[in-house]
Amino acid sequence: MKKPSAIQERLKRLPDGPGVYFFKSASGEIIYVGKAAVLKNRVRQYFQAARPHDLKTAALVAEIAGIDWMTTETEADALFVEGEQIRRYKPRYNILLRDDKSQIYVRLPMREAYPALGFTRYPLDDGARYFGPYQNGRAVRRALQLLRRVFPYSTHQVMPGRLCLHYHLGLCPGVEAQKISSSRYKASLRKLMRYLQGERSQLMRELKAEMQAAASARRYENAAKARDKLRSLKQLQNQVVFSDQEFLDISKDHALAELTRLLGLTAPPRRIEGYDISHIQGSDNTASMVVATNGLIDKSQYRKFKLKIPGNDDFAHMKEVLTRRFGAGHGDWPLPDLILIDGGKGQLGAAIEALEGRHLSLPVIGLAKRSEQIIVHASRSGVKFTPRNLKPAAGGERPLVAKSGDFWLVNLPLSAHSVKLLQRVRDESHRFAVSYHSSLRRVRQTAGALDGVPGIGPATKRRLIAAFGSGRAAAAASYQQMAAVVGEAKARRIFPRLHSQNP
C-alpha cells in the first residue's frame, strides 16, 4: 500500500530502541497502542506491502493518519507503560484486536507471617500489596523467575509439610520448615518490592555498601552473598524493568505536556492526586486518594479515609479529607504536583478552603462528571491558567472556555490527551471510594446481629462471620454448629445471650 508522505516521514524517524507506539486517526484520536522491543522494526511492519494482514488489522492500517511513540529503557518497561496507556485512552482497535492476553498483577500479602508471591487478574481491597497491571503475563512470570534467584520467595498458597524442590534449588527460603525467620523473609521481600517499584539503582548501591561493610568486618560469607546478588542484579538491569520511575522520559507523555501548558505549570506534574467521596444517603461516608506517578496509575500510593462528618454533604466531606490528608499525621507523604477533585465548583471550593486552612498553595483543579469540564479557580487554584494557554486539538476542534463567577470552565475535546489522563485518575478515585464504601457497608450489615452481645469480641466475631458468612447466619446457627466454631465453653456463654438478643 502507498503510504502518505506524513506517515513516511514519521517512519524514517522511528528509534531503534524499545517503547510504546500510538496510531492516530485523521481527527487526532488515538486508535491503537502497542509496545515493541525495537520501535523502528515493529511499526514499519504494519506498512509493508508484502506482509499480509487480517481484515481487522487491514482496517486499522487504512485509518492510520498519524504515528507517535514514547521510548523506554527496556521491553519490560514498555510492557507496563503500554497497559496504562491502553487504560487511559481506551483505543477502539485495542478492543477490536485484543486476544486472550489479559492484564495481570503481582500479589504479596505482607500482613501474613510468610507471604506467598502470587499472580491475579482481579486485585482486591484486602490489604495485600499489588504490583502492575502488566499486559503480558508470560513476560512478567519469566522476569519474576529471574528475580527469584536474587530474592528467594515462597509461592505456597497452602503450606506443605516438607521442604519443597525450590528450596533445594535456592529459589525458596524454606518457609515450610521455618529455615528463615518471618522478619528476615519480609526484609528480603521488601527489597524485591523496591525493585518492582523501580528503585533498582538505589538497591544496587545499598547492596554494594552492604558487601563492603561485611568484608571490612571479616564476615566473608555475608559479603559473598551480597556480591552474588549484586552480580545477578547487574546482569538483570538491561533485561527487567517494572516501573517508569527511573527510566521513562515524562516530557514525552502528551497528557502531562498538555496539562503543563494548560495550567501554566513550571514542570510536568510528576505526582497527581485524585479525590472522591462515596456514601449512600449520608451513611458509611468514605473518601479516596489515588495517585498517578509520571502519568501512570500508582496503586501502592492509594489511601482511603473513613469520614467523621455525618450526613450527605459532599462539600464538607471534601474539605474534611483534604484537611486530614495535609495534616501533621501524614507529613511523610509526598506533596502532589497537582490535585484533581471529582466534582464541580462546590467541591473544588471546599478543597481550596482546606488547603488554605493548612497554609498550602498547591495546584488544584476539578473535573465535572457530566461534560468532563475542567474547573479552575481564577485566583486560588495555584495555577496560571488563562484562555491564551488553550490550543486547537489535533483535529482542529477548538476548546471552549467560559467564566462563571470566580471560576474558569474549560471544555476540551474528549479526545484530548489531558482529558483522557484526568478521566483515568478521576475514574480510579471513584472506583476506589465506592469499593471502600461497599466494604464498610457490607461489614456493618453482616456483623450487626453480633454487635453488643456480651462475650463476643472482635476476634470471636471474625471467626463466626468467617464460618457462617454473616452475623445474621451466625445468630441463627444451632448450638452444635456454634460450638464447633468457638468451642463448648464459649458456646455455653454466648449462645443463650445471642438468642435472647435476637429472638
Side-chain angles (χ1 to χ4, degrees):
M1 63 174 292
K2 183 174 177 58
K3 300 181 285 291
S5 58
I7 295 290
Q8 291 178 340
E9 288 302 316
R10 295 297 285 169
L11 292 176
K12 291 177 183 177
R13 296 172 58 187
L14 283 162
D16 289 328
V20 176
Y21 57 91
F22 305 84
F23 289 152
K24 300 179 180 180
S25 67
S27 66
E29 175 195 1
I30 292 177
I31 57 176
Y32 185 77
V33 176
K35 70 177 185 308
V38 181
L39 282 165
K40 179 173 64 176
N41 296 345
R42 180 69 186 100
V43 176
R44 286 179 175 178
Q45 287 176 357
Y46 286 92
F47 302 94
Q48 292 172 354
R51 181 177 291 271
H53 293 309
D54 58 36
L55 291 176
K56 293 178 181 178
T57 305
L60 164 65
V61 174
E63 196 173 342
I64 296 172
I67 303 171
D68 218 329
W69 56 83
M70 298 170 65
T71 58
T72 59
E73 183 76 3
T74 69
E75 183 183 2
D77 212 8
L79 175 81
F80 177 68
V81 177
E82 176 205 31
E84 180 56 37
Q85 298 296 322
I86 289 172
R87 280 179 293 283
R88 181 193 297 180
Y89 291 106
K90 299 180 177 64
R92 45 193 167 88
Y93 277 99
N94 282 93
I95 298 171
L96 186 63
L97 298 173
R98 70 183 177 186
D99 51 22
D100 58 355
K101 292 185 294 184
S102 297
Q103 64 184 25
I104 192 170
Y105 294 81
V106 178
R107 180 180 183 271
L108 277 167
M110 293 300 290
R111 292 180 180 177
E112 297 179 5
Y114 289 98
L117 186 144
F119 300 93
T120 181
R121 302 199 185 280
Y122 306 102
L124 302 172
D125 186 16
D126 57 359
R129 292 292 305 275
Y130 289 91
F131 299 87
Y134 308 105
Q135 291 296 110
N136 190 325
R138 181 180 298 178
V140 173
R141 286 185 170 89
R142 184 168 63 247
L144 264 296
Q145 288 173 358
L146 294 171
L147 283 169
R148 196 172 187 181
R149 298 183 181 279
V150 186
F151 307 109
Y153 56 78
S154 166
T155 58
H156 302 308
Q157 305 300 324
V158 177
M159 197 69 74
R162 59 181 181 178
L163 289 168
C164 64
L165 175 63
H166 286 133
Y167 168 76
H168 298 289
L169 295 175
L171 303 177
C172 178
V175 299
E176 312 92 308
Q178 297 179 349
K179 294 285 187 179
I180 185 173
S181 68
S182 175
S183 59
R184 281 184 57 210
Y185 176 54
K186 287 186 176 182
S188 177
L189 286 183
R190 289 189 188 98
K191 290 180 179 179
L192 173 61
M193 291 191 294
R194 288 175 58 194
Y195 191 96
L196 298 180
Q197 290 173 311
E199 298 184 25
R200 182 181 63 200
S201 299
Q202 183 179 350
L203 194 57
M204 292 177 67
R205 288 194 294 269
E206 291 177 5
L207 280 172
K208 185 176 181 180
E210 181 183 322
M211 177 186 69
Q212 293 171 342
S216 299
R218 298 185 178 182
R219 291 182 281 109
Y220 298 117
E221 185 176 349
N222 292 343
K225 289 179 179 178
R227 177 204 61 201
D228 292 342
K229 289 184 177 182
L230 191 61
R231 284 179 179 173
S232 297
L233 285 181
K234 285 181 178 179
Q235 293 171 357
L236 282 168
Q237 68 179 356
N238 292 324
Q239 303 173 39
V240 183
V241 179
F242 284 87
S243 173
D244 66 301
Q245 302 280 335
E246 294 180 318
F247 306 105
L248 184 61
D249 183 358
I250 64 171
S251 67
K252 293 184 173 64
D253 188 307
H254 295 301
L256 294 178
E258 275 188 9
L259 281 175
T260 304
R261 182 179 65 250
L262 175 70
L263 303 176
L265 303 176
T266 56
R270 288 184 172 272
R271 180 183 173 95
I272 301 174
E273 292 184 0
Y275 292 86
D276 191 21
I277 307 297
S278 181
H279 60 81
I280 292 181
Q281 296 179 342
S283 64
D284 300 312
N285 299 324
T286 63
S288 65
M289 180 190 95
V290 303
V291 177
T293 303
N294 293 347
L296 305 179
I297 291 301
D298 189 352
K299 290 180 183 289
S300 66
Q301 297 292 308
Y302 285 16
R303 300 292 183 268
K304 54 194 177 185
F305 299 82
K306 186 176 180 180
L307 298 177
K308 300 174 182 178
I309 295 176
N312 184 0
D313 189 341
D314 284 355
F315 301 162
H317 294 149
M318 187 62 72
K319 185 174 181 179
E320 177 190 344
V321 67
L322 268 293
T323 300
R324 287 170 56 185
R325 184 269 181 258
F326 293 104
H330 305 308
D332 56 334
W333 295 4
L335 288 177
D337 301 300
L338 178 65
I339 298 171
L340 176 67
I341 302 301
D342 183 2
K345 295 186 292 183
Q347 287 89 343
L348 177 59
I352 291 173
E353 286 182 19
L355 292 172
E356 291 175 344
R358 293 296 188 188
H359 307 290
L360 290 171
S361 178
L362 297 171
V364 54
I365 61 175
L367 186 66
K369 284 188 176 73
R370 288 186 180 178
S371 57
E372 308 295 22
Q373 192 175 60
I374 298 173
I375 316 294
V376 182
H377 195 281
S379 60
R380 297 164 62 199
S381 267
V383 301
K384 297 178 180 178
F385 171 80
T386 68
R388 293 193 301 273
N389 297 353
L390 297 170
K391 292 185 177 181
E397 189 177 351
R398 296 198 65 84
L400 301 176
V401 60
K403 193 80 178 290
S404 175
D406 294 328
F407 294 87
W408 288 107
L409 312 179
V410 185
N411 291 280
L412 294 178
L414 296 182
S415 60
H417 299 295
S418 52
V419 172
K420 292 294 187 184
L421 174 57
L422 295 179
Q423 284 177 324
R424 173 80 171 119
V425 175
R426 190 273 315 280
D427 292 348
E428 268 296 280
S429 66
H430 180 70
R431 180 198 64 78
F432 196 51
V434 170
S435 172
Y436 185 39
H437 163 78
S438 299
S439 66
L440 289 181
R441 189 165 172 240
R442 185 168 56 251
V443 168
R444 177 173 56 81
Q445 290 175 337
T446 57
L450 303 179
D451 289 338
V453 178
I456 299 183
T460 303
K461 185 191 297 185
R462 285 195 297 270
R463 291 174 64 186
L464 289 170
I465 292 175
F468 298 106
S470 70
R472 187 171 299 175
S478 66
Y479 174 82
Q480 290 76 12
Q481 290 172 320
M482 188 166 294
V485 175
V486 300
E488 289 281 349
K490 179 161 285 192
R492 280 196 297 270
R493 292 200 307 273
I494 67 175
F495 185 80
R497 294 171 177 173
L498 186 62
H499 281 262
S500 65
Q501 178 166 308
N502 300 283

